[in-house]
Amino acid sequence: MSPNFRTLCLFLIVVIAPAAVKCDLEIGFYDQTCQGAELLVFDAVARAVNANPGIAAGLIRMFFHDCFVRGCDGSVLIDSTAGNSAEKDSPINNPSLRGFEVIDKAKAAIEAVCPKTVSCADVLAFAARDSTALTGGLNFPVPAGRRDGRISIASETFTNLPPPTFNATQLEQSFARKNLTLEEMVTLSGAHSIGRSHCSSFVRRLYNFSSTNQVDPTLDPGYATFLQSQCPFNASTNNVTVVPMDVFTPNDLDVGYYVGLTQHFGLFTSDQTLLTNSSTRPFVEENIVNPGVWAIRFAKAMIKMGKIEVLTGTTGEIRTNCRVINSAKSIGSVIDTLGHSSSKVAST
Ligand code: HEM
Ligand SMILES: *[C@@H]1O[C@H](CO)[C@@H](O)[C@H](O)[C@H]1NC(C)=O
Ligand SMILES: *[C@@H]1O[C@H](CO)[C@@H](O)[C@H](O)[C@H]1NC(C)=O
Ligand SMILES: *[C@@H]1O[C@H](CO)[C@@H](O)[C@H](O)[C@H]1NC(C)=O
Ligand SMILES: *[C@@H]1O[C@H](CO)[C@@H](O)[C@H](O)[C@H]1NC(C)=O
Ligand SMILES: *[C@@H]1O[C@H](CO)[C@@H](O)[C@H](O)[C@H]1NC(C)=O
Ligand SMILES: *[C@@H]1O[C@H](CO)[C@@H](O)[C@H](O)[C@H]1NC(C)=O
């Protein structure tokens, strides 16, 4: 957005129709208001990834799960309350989603220098970008200016996030609902070249694929045997035990994922189907031949995913604590504090 457009946008917000105006996201959105914001996020992410490379995978997945449920509004970060089970406590996210404390640390560092300025949704978007760069993907500028939502509902994860049992047609439909193309779906699935999965996400493929009591025939037999050794049939630990998604280079965000598909090493049905299906297969093959093109496509697709149903302008809020929505009570206590200080002034 050009400076003029931004000025116009702010003018529209303040003067014309406060609730109705939506502004585009903008690269360098915090340059004037909180210059160090992106650096503080990078610092927190780099420390965490240095200590545990898997955190990068966790943050990239967290961004995907935020954006697909109510848009990229930080709703995945909100804690459950007595009356509400939040997204993060859906079985899709709990216990598998990780990296929340990294977002907390980055946000706390930012609040210390520029309070109530940088949204949690943007902190997560920056953290996913940094995680991409730190694991060997491209570094790319992230358009920002997202604002935080106030609603997070566990059951909404089931209808918006694709399960690992989906075939290519179902995956295409799931991504199309978010205005993402078939190519972008295949491109973003390359994120499965890093990180881990719990046995429960794929165990049916090992013993009872499509209720046949057989191992999935599209899985490499040697790999299937390895996975069976890690994830025994009916084991109560299958929601605790994890295996790497890419057994060869689990911390490198690269086209190894697509190479693995050609060797029948796709961990989920939703992975292997990208090679089996004739519409997605050409994208898989292109990525293998040209890793540089894939990396560019991945960065572009992350930017596009980051624009799904965002709150901007005066919609939503800037959460102080990413786990808790700003409450009416805290606004009340601000007024209360003002009241007290003015009565103090009056009485002295
Ligand atoms: C195409 C549809 C997708 C399906 C069905 C899917 C499904 C899954 C499942 C079941 C897991 C393992 C969770 C567990 O059991 O621990 C997982 C992990 C992961 N997914 Fe996806 N995913 C999809 C797309 C994406 C996208 C678009 C991204 C990001 C761009 C992504 C990034 C990741 C990452 C990085 C992990 C590893 C997380 C970690 O190590 O903590 N996935 N995914
Ligand atoms: C994909 O899944 C849908 C829904 O279960 C099903 O109707 C369709 O036949 C499947 N496609 C293939 C190729 O299996
Ligand atoms: C492959 O996926 C495409 C895209 O969703 C779909 O249109 C097509 O029917 C699928 N082909 C098969 C054989 O399942
Ligand atoms: C997809 O695009 C349409 C048309 O521009 C828009 O109305 C809709 O809100 C978009 N959906 C998402 C999830 O971004
Ligand atoms: C395989 O799945 C089918 C359908 O869910 C189920 O009826 C059957 O009992 C399962 N087989 C085993 C050995 O668990
Ligand atoms: C698997 O576990 C379920 C539930 O714990 C049990 O009902 C079922 O009989 C078990 N199946 C086998 C083949 O052990
Ligand atoms: C794993 O599943 C068992 C029963 O299915 C449940 O009691 C346990 O709490 C689960 N563990 C985790 C970490 O979700």
Side-chain angles (χ1 to χ4, degrees), residues 154-177:
S155 62
E156 290 184 346
T157 59
F158 301 118
T159 43
N160 289 287
L161 292 167
T165 49
F166 266 13
N167 64 34
T169 310
Q170 294 168 304
L171 290 172
E172 180 184 38
Q173 286 166 356
S174 169
F175 277 63
R177 282 178 57 203

Side-chain angles (χ1 to χ4, degrees), residues 95 236 239-240:
S236 63
N239 56 356
V240 181

Side-chain angles (χ1 to χ4, degrees), residues 61-295:
R61 180 170 183 240
M62 193 188 288
F63 183 53
F64 163 50
H65 284 204
D66 187 29
C67 293
F68 265 52
V69 184
R70 280 187 181 268
C72 317
D73 68 341
S75 54
V76 74
L77 304 170
I78 295 174
D79 280 351
S80 294
T81 56
N84 180 57
S85 180
E87 288 171 29
K88 63 162 60 157
D89 285 321
S90 155
I92 293 179
N93 289 330
N94 186 0
S96 60
L97 215 56
R98 52 177 170 166
F100 293 109
E101 29 357 279
V102 183
I103 301 299
D104 291 338
K105 278 189 185 152
K107 175 66 169 172
I110 290 172
E111 286 300 297
V113 289
C114 11
K116 300 179 172 57
T117 308
V118 180
S119 69
C120 297
D122 279 343
V123 170
L124 178 52
F126 296 142
R129 179 270 313 276
D130 296 337
S131 297
T132 302
L134 286 165
T135 47
L138 289 181
N139 198 354
F140 55 92
V142 172
R146 295 169 191 79
R147 291 172 61 88
D148 296 324
R150 293 175 51 86
I151 299 169
S152 180
I153 302 168
S155 62
E156 290 184 346
T157 59
F158 301 118
T159 43
N160 289 287
L161 292 167
T165 49
F166 266 13
N167 64 34
T169 310
Q170 294 168 304
L171 290 172
E172 180 184 38
Q173 286 166 356
S174 169
F175 277 63
R177 282 178 57 203
K178 308 297 174 184
N179 290 339
L180 294 172
T181 66
L182 192 64
E183 178 263 301
E184 286 161 343
M185 184 272 286
V186 178
T187 296
L188 288 168
S189 293
H192 288 177
S193 68
I194 55 172
R196 61 171 199 201
S197 171
H198 291 73
C199 293
S200 47
S201 296
F202 57 85
V203 73
R204 272 184 61 90
R205 291 185 76 201
L206 305 179
Y207 303 102
N208 197 4
F209 171 70
S210 291
S211 305
T212 58
N213 289 320
Q214 303 289 320
V215 60
D216 186 335
T218 63
L219 200 54
D220 172 83
Y223 186 44
T225 303
F226 164 74
L227 292 173
Q228 285 169 340
S229 73
Q230 302 300 301
C231 316
F233 178 70
N234 245 6
S236 63
T237 47
N238 281 345
N239 56 356
V240 181
T241 310
V242 293
V243 300
M245 301 251 256
D246 174 340
V247 281
F248 302 110
T249 53
N251 299 320
D252 295 342
L253 184 62
D254 60 16
V255 298
Y257 165 79
Y258 302 102
V259 177
L261 298 182
T262 64
Q263 298 165 349
H264 301 278
F265 273 58
L267 189 53
F268 308 138
T269 299
S270 60
D271 296 320
Q272 199 57 52
T273 191
L274 302 182
L275 186 81
T276 317
N277 178 283
S278 57
S279 309
T280 50
R281 185 179 189 129
F283 296 123
V284 172
E285 288 167 345
E286 273 172 41
N287 292 335
I288 292 170
V289 175
N290 206 332
V293 170
W294 170 76

